[in-house]
Amino acid sequence: MPQHGRTVTANIDRLNAYMDKNGLAAVAVRTGVNFTYLSGMTMPGTLSRHLDIASTVRGFMVLWPRQGDPVVILDAFAEKLARRESWIDRIEVYQAYENSLYGRVAELIAEAGLATARIGFEQDGLSALHWNEIQHALPRLEMVNCSWMMDEVRWIKTEAEVAQQKRAADLLDDVLAEIFPTIREGETEREVHARVLAACTRRGAGYVHGILNSSSNEVMYGGESDVAFRHGDFVRNDYVAYFQGCPGHQSRLAILGRPSTEQMRGYEMTLEIHRKTIDRCRAGVTAGEIYGFAKAEFRKKGIDYTASLVGHGMGPWFHQQEPVLRQNSVIVLEKGMILAVEPQRLHWHLQDLILVGDGPPRLVSDKFSTDQPFIIDAN
C-alpha cells in the first residue's frame, strides 16, 4: 500500500476484491479516470492532454499489483509533480522521445516477477500499437481487458470520496451564486462564461469546462457565443468544475427579471420531475428503470422525452461515468454510488448530485436552493 502520508481516497478494498474475483495479479492503467483514481493526483494544463490522447509519446501509467507496492511510471516533465502530489511512494521515470513508456512498464512487470501473470489493461484506453508492444516484450504475459472492472471498482465511493465530491459541488454552487446576480441585459454569453471560469479558478478549481447559454440561443452546446442576454431569458448552464480531480457538476436555472406565468409553470414541471426522478434512485433499482420512469413522467405532461440519458455516475477526471441512467441499462444501483441526475429538455435544465443509500438518496449538492428559479434583477 502507498506510504506517502496522503490519505488514499480510492476504494482499495474493492479493487483488491475485484482483482481476486477476476484472477488478476495486477492492473496497469493509463486513462485519466483510472490513473487519477489510483495515483491520487491530477495532471494540470498540458500534462493533462497526455492522459487523454492514447497516441502521445509522453504517457503515464500506474502499475498496481495485488501483492506489493504500486508504482507510478511517467516522463521526466511530470516527476516533481508526482513526488509532491501522489500518495504512491514509488515513482519510475522514463525519458520521453528517447524511450517508450510501454517498454518501461514491461520491464517493471518483469522485475516484479509478473512476466507470466494475468494482468488487467484498459482496452478502451490503450492503443493496439502499445498493447502489442507490451505483449511482444512479454510474450507469456496474459493481458486482459480490465476497463469494465475498473468502472465497477470506481462507482462505489469511500467516505473520503464523498467528502471530496461535496467540496467540489459546493465550489461550483458558490460560483453560480456569485455570478448569477452580476448578469445584465446586453451582456454576451461569452462575457458571462469568462466570469464563471475566473471565479472557479479563483476558488481553487484546477480545470473547468461546460456551457452557458441564453434560452434565446437555438444552438445549445455550441460554445459560448456573442448572443446577448435579454430581459426574460433563462441562463442555461451545465458546468464541470474539478477540485483536486473531482468534478462539481450541477445545473441551476436563472432568469433575467421576473418569470412569466408560463415560465414558472415550465420550471415547476421540470422541478417536479427532477425531484421525483431523484427519489427513484435507490439501491436495487436499475439505471434503465430510472430512465423509463423519467420518460413516463414527461409523457404524463404531454412531452416526448428524447434525450439519451437522465443522469450518470460521477468520478475523477471525467464526469460522465457508469452507471449512465439510460434506456434499457441493466446496471443495478448500489449503496455508495454518486449520481448526477438531470432529466432535462431544451433549456429546462436542473441537475443535482446525489448519494445512493439504503433508503432515499442523500442530496450532495445542497448548497443552492432550486425551489424557485434564481431571479436576476435585470435593471
Side-chain angles (χ1 to χ4, degrees):
M1 284 292 295
Q3 301 295 322
H4 191 284
R6 283 192 55 201
T7 300
V8 179
T9 61
N11 198 336
I12 302 304
D13 288 342
R14 188 172 172 89
L15 173 65
N16 288 338
Y18 269 72
M19 282 200 280
D20 291 344
K21 178 181 176 180
N22 290 275
L24 298 180
V27 293
V29 298
R30 73 155 310 277
T31 61
V33 291
N34 289 321
F35 179 89
T36 303
Y37 186 72
L38 291 184
S39 70
M41 64 175 292
T42 57
M43 292 293 185
T46 301
L47 294 180
S48 70
R49 302 300 291 144
H50 300 300
L51 281 174
D52 292 332
I53 301 173
S55 61
T56 181
V57 297
R58 287 175 56 188
F60 320 116
M61 290 186 76
V62 170
L63 175 64
W64 194 292
R66 179 62 182 88
Q67 304 294 333
D69 294 329
V71 55
V72 175
I73 309 100
L74 39 67
D75 79 305
F77 287 99
E79 179 183 2
K80 289 184 179 180
L81 178 68
R83 294 195 185 282
R84 187 187 74 187
E85 298 292 331
S86 179
W87 54 49
I88 295 177
D89 262 350
R90 186 179 176 190
I91 308 294
E92 291 289 337
V93 179
Y94 73 98
Q95 294 296 326
Y97 306 108
E98 297 178 18
N99 307 115
S100 164
L101 163 66
Y102 305 98
R104 185 66 183 122
V105 169
E107 290 173 355
L108 291 168
I109 290 172
E111 289 172 13
L114 300 175
T116 62
R118 177 181 168 90
I119 295 181
F121 296 84
E122 303 149 298
Q123 209 163 55
D124 59 357
L126 199 63
S127 73
L129 179 67
H130 296 144
W131 184 286
N132 290 339
E133 182 180 347
I134 296 171
Q135 190 70 88
H136 179 75
L138 301 171
R140 298 174 61 196
L141 178 68
E142 184 180 359
M143 299 176 67
V144 300
N145 182 27
C146 70
S147 297
W148 183 256
M149 184 197 86
M150 290 303 302
D151 284 346
E152 292 194 38
V153 169
R154 292 194 317 274
W155 73 37
I156 302 300
K157 311 304 184 190
T158 63
E159 290 184 7
E161 286 181 278
V162 175
Q164 187 174 354
Q165 183 71 77
K166 180 74 171 83
R167 289 194 295 271
D170 286 351
L171 184 152
L172 180 56
D173 271 345
D174 284 342
V175 166
L176 296 179
E178 173 190 337
I179 300 301
F180 280 168
T182 70
I183 302 173
R184 293 293 178 265
E185 187 173 5
E187 283 194 299
T188 66
E189 296 172 341
R190 196 187 314 279
E191 290 170 325
V192 179
H193 176 66
R195 292 206 296 276
V196 172
L197 300 186
C200 285
T201 303
R202 187 175 65 250
R203 290 176 181 270
Y207 182 63
V208 188
H209 65 82
I211 65 104
L212 180 136
N213 291 130
S214 163
S215 56
S216 62
N217 188 341
E218 296 181 356
V219 181
M220 296 292 178
Y221 292 97
E224 288 63 45
S225 72
D226 291 321
V227 169
F229 285 101
R230 305 174 303 186
H231 184 85
D233 282 353
F234 277 115
V235 182
R236 193 270 175 95
N237 51 89
D238 189 12
Y239 280 104
V240 191
Y242 293 87
F243 177 73
Q244 296 180 356
C246 186
H249 183 42
Q250 302 91 253
S251 300
R252 282 72 170 89
L253 273 182
I255 185 170
L256 272 72
R258 291 286 167 184
S260 67
T261 300
E262 181 181 354
Q263 287 174 322
M264 279 304 301
R265 188 161 48 242
Y267 186 87
E268 288 166 359
M269 181 189 69
T270 302
L271 181 63
E272 175 191 346
I273 296 175
H274 177 69
R275 288 181 172 173
K276 284 183 175 179
T277 303
I278 286 176
D279 189 63
R280 298 285 292 190
C281 294
R282 304 190 181 208
V285 179
T286 69
E289 287 171 336
I290 301 298
Y291 181 92
F293 172 81
K295 186 178 181 70
E297 289 297 308
F298 276 108
R299 189 180 300 117
K300 291 177 184 177
K301 308 292 186 181
I303 297 170
D304 183 19
Y305 187 78
T306 59
S308 57
L309 52 76
V310 298
H312 51 80
M314 298 288 291
W317 195 256
F318 181 62
H319 65 291
Q320 288 192 348
Q321 300 188 21
E322 290 288 3
V324 177
L325 307 180
R326 62 181 182 271
Q327 191 166 346
N328 300 324
S329 173
V330 297
I331 295 176
V332 178
L333 301 191
E334 300 178 54
K335 179 181 178 180
M337 289 179 170
I338 289 184
L339 306 174
V341 181
E342 51 174 341
Q344 53 84 22
R345 58 187 181 90
L346 303 175
H347 60 270
W348 300 99
H349 193 175
L350 292 174
Q351 181 169 211
D352 274 300
L353 306 186
I354 64 165
L355 175 66
V356 178
D358 291 321
R362 171 186 144 198
L363 184 63
V364 176
S365 53
D366 60 358
K367 201 169 184 182
F368 191 115
S369 174
T370 57
D371 291 343
Q372 301 286 333
F374 189 100
I375 298 174
I376 301 168
D377 183 359
N379 294 326

